Amino acid sequence: MQKHVKYEQAIKTKYPEQVVIAIAKDKKGKANPVTLGWTMIASGEPPMMAIAVAKGHYSIKTIGHSKCFTIAFPTSQMADAALFFGSRSGRDVDKFGEFHCKTEPAKKIDSVLLSDAVANFECTLESQTPAGDHIIFVGKIIASHTNTKPKKRLYTLGTGHKLGSVS
Amino acid sequence: MQKHVKYEQAIKTKYPEQVVIAIAKDKKGKANPVTLGWTMIASGEPPMMAIAVAKGHYSIKTIGHSKCFTIAFPTSQMADAALFFGSRSGRDVDKFGEFHCKTEPAKKIDSVLLSDAVANFECTLESQTPAGDHIIFVGKIIASHTNTKPKKRLYTLGTGHKLGSVS
């Protein structure tokens, strides 16, 4: 049976929610990672993924500048990196400089991959659409990578940035 | 360490993936549910959600007609309904007629809620954007509902439509 409640209460039923780290370079060439839970696959052929980024975030500028971005699936061991990349702004800090996280150059776009991630997807910017206080960026996936060892993805398990793996 | 692989292989690392059931009425007033894994929250204020629907699907017509839709989070006990609603077309069958699933009228839009779901969100169509072989529909959430009892969400656990709960 359903009960009419406030959105803020109803949305607490969403967990576990997947976590990705999107990475785009700013105009100075600094790769800027941001942690996002609002993401989905958007097309099968050609493959595309969508991310929703808050309008004030520095990533709006980095993606707007680069016209490309990486979407990485962090592993369940990468909770600290995900929390750091999600709580600091690339306007103020060089996130990869302050929090060590192994990266390597992307193959087909001017971005980087997270070497220890479950998988990395190289995307060229296909479209951007405003949605309330966010912008939806759709990227066409032009190269894909997986970890050479099987790894588990990271999820948000509940309110208060509780991160971990699911089974 | 990352290995360059085909997209089809890399995307297999995505699981578990959340499942929603989107419902919109066609021009005859028939409520048509469709099961989707490609969905995300798109805005916080006002709250919005996005779904990606394959271009050939009947739901493109129902959402285009209604300009509103429900997004329901099915429970882990609703795998059979999710499989049925995801594998049949509303062009051919009355899905709610053929597969019994308790519904009730939505409060603020001309659609229905799934009475046994974890939660239901009533959305008015905010935008639609083509993305490859899909269309991204963004809905503004104008009413929210939760089950009166705590329930677990349904996820796709792996390839081959393996559905269940996570912990």
Side-chain angles (χ1 to χ4, degrees):
Chain A
M1 208 173 90
Q2 296 293 303
K3 181 171 65 164
H4 189 180
V5 298
K6 287 189 177 174
Y7 170 77
E8 292 72 14
Q9 182 180 339
I11 201 59
K12 287 182 186 163
T13 64
K14 71 176 178 176
Y15 301 105
E17 181 180 63
Q18 63 188 345
V19 172
V20 303
I21 295 174
I23 309 161
K25 288 190 177 178
D26 67 10
K27 59 185 179 185
K28 292 181 179 168
K30 180 181 78 178
N32 183 63
V34 65
T35 306
L36 303 168
W38 299 359
T39 180
M40 66 179 181
I41 303 170
S43 171
E45 184 51 48
M48 296 185 187
M49 286 185 189
I51 52 175
V53 181
K55 279 183 176 167
H57 280 199
Y58 190 57
S59 295
I60 299 286
K61 288 203 182 304
T62 63
I63 296 170
H65 165 75
S66 291
K67 312 287 188 212
C68 62
F69 53 92
T70 307
I71 293 180
F73 291 172
T75 68
S76 55
Q77 284 97 56
M78 293 170 72
D80 289 348
L83 281 171
F84 186 85
F85 298 155
S87 58
R88 306 296 293 273
S89 172
R91 273 195 193 85
D92 309 320
V93 297
D94 175 356
K95 297 190 201 179
F96 281 131
E98 293 214 1
F99 191 100
H100 180 65
C101 187
K102 200 174 167 193
T103 62
E104 58 195 76
K107 295 275 188 266
K108 299 200 174 173
I109 63 171
D110 186 18
S111 183
V112 300
L113 313 178
L114 297 187
S115 303
D116 296 328
V118 176
N120 287 269
F121 300 90
E122 300 183 25
C123 303
T124 55
L125 182 59
E126 185 74 12
S127 70
Q128 59 186 85
T129 308
D133 55 13
H134 281 57
I135 293 176
I136 298 173
F137 293 99
V138 176
K140 183 160 71 175
I141 297 165
I142 61 168
S144 304
H145 312 264
T146 55
N147 201 301
T148 51
K149 293 179 182 160
K151 301 279 182 182
K152 297 192 73 135
R153 283 189 73 178
L154 183 68
Y155 289 79
T156 303
L157 303 177
T159 51
H161 303 298
K162 192 181 165 201
L163 298 171
S165 64
V166 299
S167 56
Chain B
M1 207 172 90
Q2 295 293 303
K3 182 170 66 164
H4 190 182
V5 298
K6 287 188 177 172
Y7 170 76
E8 291 73 15
Q9 183 179 340
I11 201 59
K12 287 180 186 166
T13 64
K14 73 176 175 176
Y15 301 104
E17 183 180 63
Q18 64 187 344
V19 173
V20 303
I21 295 173
I23 308 160
K25 288 189 178 179
D26 68 10
K27 60 186 178 185
K28 291 181 181 168
K30 180 181 79 179
N32 183 63
V34 64
T35 306
L36 303 168
W38 299 359
T39 180
M40 64 180 184
I41 303 170
S43 171
E45 185 50 50
M48 297 186 186
M49 285 185 189
I51 52 175
V53 181
K55 279 183 177 167
H57 279 199
Y58 190 58
S59 295
I60 299 286
K61 289 204 182 301
T62 63
I63 296 170
H65 166 74
S66 291
K67 311 287 189 212
C68 62
F69 52 93
T70 306
I71 293 180
F73 292 171
T75 69
S76 55
Q77 284 97 55
M78 293 171 71
D80 289 347
L83 281 171
F84 185 85
F85 297 154
S87 58
R88 305 295 293 274
S89 172
R91 273 195 194 83
D92 310 320
V93 297
D94 175 355
K95 296 190 202 180
F96 281 131
E98 294 215 359
F99 190 100
H100 180 67
C101 187
K102 200 174 166 193
T103 63
E104 58 195 75
K107 296 273 186 269
K108 298 199 175 174
I109 63 171
D110 185 18
S111 184
V112 301
L113 314 178
L114 298 188
S115 303
D116 296 327
V118 176
N120 288 269
F121 300 90
E122 301 184 26
C123 303
T124 55
L125 182 60
E126 185 74 11
S127 70
Q128 57 185 85
T129 308
D133 55 13
H134 281 58
I135 293 176
I136 297 172
F137 294 99
V138 176
K140 182 160 71 175
I141 297 166
I142 60 168
S144 305
H145 312 263
T146 55
N147 202 301
T148 51
K149 292 180 182 161
K151 300 280 181 181
K152 296 192 73 136
R153 283 190 73 178
L154 183 68
Y155 289 79
T156 303
L157 303 176
T159 52
H161 303 298
K162 192 181 165 201
L163 297 171
S165 65
V166 299
S167 56

